[in-house]
């Protein structure tokens, strides 16, 4: 995206609620790095304002009368790709629509501000941070599709385990990567940063797209080949307890790590005792969660992959992991499924 580094991020708000438009404008305008150039009550007016004002970033309500936010987003990503931050509600309906929006190419989402003054201030800081990050991100013309991969073969991946960490842009990346995995791939443990209300909907939506089974992880569940376990958002970290062949999911309470719970670092560190059987990948995301855990895994003998800068929405987490020495190999998103499965096959033959 052609951005002028020294000027504020020119932002257009789209929301059918006048009070919400005013709230979002007040929150965004308080940041000197953001300029609100307009606010539209519906996609039809927004379309004309986009043509006239050429914003850097759009904030878009997921649910509006007339043309809903999803239909408008799909049209934007097809005709004029640009960074979009969705504004969602913490409801089952809001979660499902937000997941679909991220799959279609929205950079990120925020929940609509509510609660105490302290909550509103926290929401305002997060909204501004995400809008500015979106402005620096790579706008894409719809979701990337990766061709399905051949089966791993020979018993369904016993003795190996795949671990993935992702944040901003990760939903779209996982909707591309996971459907390419064969039904008999090794078990996959994933930490994707998102709220508790979203992870169950995310797992269910992915499950409908994949040959592997995708579930929201539960404490004590045995880890089995052909299954992807999504760490539930909220109050607990996800770890592996036991070995690869007899391991179980462990969800435990704990402080936030690098600002996150669940944390990619916590998952990766729990795999260090079985590192020689682990293939770990760190995908697009803001921040540095997973960097130290990936370094620990690599030092212990795991095969570690980082998503390449040119294929990331935000090259934050993979960059941090690379800078500390945790990334053995950089791979584009299109090549990530084959890179993961090649590492699985190679480890099985003892050649890595």
């Amino acid at each position: 995206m052609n951005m002028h580094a020294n000027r504020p991020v020119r932002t257009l708000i789209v929301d059918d609620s006048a009070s919400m438009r005013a709230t979002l404008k007040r929150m965004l305008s308080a940041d000197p790095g953001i300029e609100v150039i307009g606010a539209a009550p519906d996609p039809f007016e927004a379309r004309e304002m986009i043509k006239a004002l050429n914003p850097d970033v759009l904030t878009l309500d997921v649910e509006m009368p007339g043309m809903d936010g999803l239909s408008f987003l799909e049209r934007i990503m097809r005709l004029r790709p640009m960074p979009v931050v969705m504004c969602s509600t913490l409801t089952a309906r809001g979660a499902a629509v937000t997941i679909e929006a991220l799959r279609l190419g929205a950079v990120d989402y925020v929940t609509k501000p509510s609660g105490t003054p302290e909550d509103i201030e926290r929401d305002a800081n997060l909204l501004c941070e995400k809008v500015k990050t979106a402005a620096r991100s790579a706008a894409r013309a719809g979701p990337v599709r990766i061709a399905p991969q051949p089966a791993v073969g020979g018993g369904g991946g016993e003795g190996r385990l795949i671990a993935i960490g992702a944040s901003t842009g990760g939903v779209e990346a996982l909707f591309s990567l996971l459907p390419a995995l064969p039904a008999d791939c090794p078990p996959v443990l994933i930490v994707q940063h998102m709220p508790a209300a979203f992870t169950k909907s995310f797992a269910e939506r992915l499950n409908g797209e994949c040959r592997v089974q995708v579930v929201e992880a539960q404490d004590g569940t045995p880890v089995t080949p052909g299954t992807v376990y999504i760490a539930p958002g909220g109050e607990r970290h996800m770890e592996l307890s036991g070995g690869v062949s007899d391991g179980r999911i462990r969800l435990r309470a704990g402080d936030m790590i690098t600002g996150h719970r669940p944390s990619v670092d916590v998952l990766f560190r729990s795999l260090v005792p079985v590192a020689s059987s682990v293939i770990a990948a760190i995908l697009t995301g803001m921040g540095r969660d997973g960097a130290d855990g990936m370094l620990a895994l690599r030092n212990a003998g795991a095969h570690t992959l980082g998503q390449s800068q040119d294929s990331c929405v935000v090259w934050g987490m993979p960059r941090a992991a690379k800078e500390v020495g945790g990334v053995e190999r950089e791979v584009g998103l299109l090549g990530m499924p084959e890179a993961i499965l090649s590492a699985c096959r190679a480890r099985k033959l003892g050649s890595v």
Side-chain angles (χ1 to χ4, degrees):
M1 180 174 183
N2 184 20
M3 287 291 299
H4 299 282
N6 295 323
R7 68 162 170 78
V9 176
R10 303 173 71 253
T11 305
L12 177 64
I13 297 166
V14 185
D15 197 296
D16 66 308
S17 164
S19 62
M20 185 56 63
R21 291 197 301 275
T23 297
L24 293 173
K25 182 177 181 179
R26 183 170 63 253
M27 294 166 79
L28 291 168
S29 298
D31 190 314
I34 298 172
E35 177 189 3
V36 177
I37 59 172
D42 58 60
F44 304 101
E45 188 169 329
R47 182 173 55 196
E48 300 307 314
M49 295 180 78
I50 289 171
K51 293 177 183 176
L53 301 173
N54 193 31
D56 299 323
V57 176
L58 201 69
T59 70
L60 180 60
D61 186 8
V62 298
E63 298 180 85
M64 292 180 291
M67 183 193 300
D68 62 73
L70 276 184
S71 299
F72 186 49
L73 175 67
E74 191 168 20
R75 190 167 296 183
I76 289 172
M77 290 304 165
R78 187 175 71 250
L79 301 176
R80 190 204 182 281
M82 64 183 297
V84 177
V85 176
M86 305 300 293
C87 292
S88 172
T89 55
L90 278 174
T91 63
R93 164 69 181 164
V97 174
T98 303
I99 296 301
E100 184 64 12
L102 294 170
R103 187 190 71 82
L104 290 171
V107 173
D108 211 338
Y109 64 93
V110 291
T111 54
K112 292 197 172 184
S114 63
T116 66
E118 292 78 12
D119 293 334
I120 297 291
E121 182 178 359
R122 182 200 63 222
D123 291 343
N125 292 336
L126 186 60
L127 172 64
C128 292
E129 180 183 17
K130 291 194 173 188
V131 164
K132 289 186 289 187
T133 298
R136 298 190 296 269
S137 72
R140 305 187 185 282
V144 176
R145 290 298 183 192
I146 303 174
Q149 303 293 309
V152 174
E158 294 92 339
R160 290 159 337 272
L161 185 140
I162 300 164
I164 299 174
S167 188
T168 311
V171 169
E172 182 186 3
L174 289 169
F175 267 109
S176 300
L177 191 162
L178 295 181
L181 297 181
D184 68 343
C185 80
V188 184
L189 274 58
I190 296 177
V191 170
Q192 162 70 52
H193 298 153
M194 60 174 48
F198 286 20
T199 45
K200 187 173 190 297
S201 178
F202 181 41
E204 290 173 349
R205 182 68 177 79
L206 274 169
N207 190 53
E209 298 273 326
C210 298
R211 290 176 290 174
V212 290
Q213 181 183 15
V214 184
V215 299
E216 184 183 47
Q218 297 183 19
D219 188 48
T221 302
V223 173
T224 59
T227 305
V228 175
Y229 303 87
I230 305 290
E235 300 302 316
R236 296 183 291 178
H237 293 290
M238 183 170 77
E239 300 176 327
L240 178 73
S241 175
V244 172
S245 60
D246 62 351
R248 293 179 177 270
I249 297 289
R250 181 188 179 207
L251 301 178
R252 67 166 179 84
D255 294 337
M256 289 188 177
I257 305 295
T258 59
H260 299 285
R261 187 177 51 226
S263 162
V264 181
D265 270 322
V266 171
L267 171 62
F268 283 0
R269 287 186 183 280
S270 78
L271 302 175
V272 168
V274 295
S276 61
S277 299
V278 172
I279 296 88
I282 195 156
L283 306 182
T284 173
M286 183 168 58
R288 57 168 290 107
D289 188 25
D292 295 336
M294 179 163 269
L295 176 60
L297 275 175
R298 186 181 183 190
N299 287 340
H303 185 58
T304 59
L305 304 169
Q307 187 176 344
S308 63
Q309 181 177 3
D310 63 337
S311 68
C312 282
V313 172
V314 178
W315 193 53
M317 287 164 50
R319 177 181 181 175
K322 178 182 179 180
E323 288 177 345
V324 300
V327 174
E328 178 184 350
R329 179 185 170 200
E330 285 189 288
V331 186
L333 181 59
L334 285 171
M336 189 64 75
E338 179 54 34
I340 290 171
L341 296 175
S342 292
C344 291
R345 291 189 291 265
R347 285 193 176 280
K348 184 177 181 184
L349 297 172
S351 61
V352 174

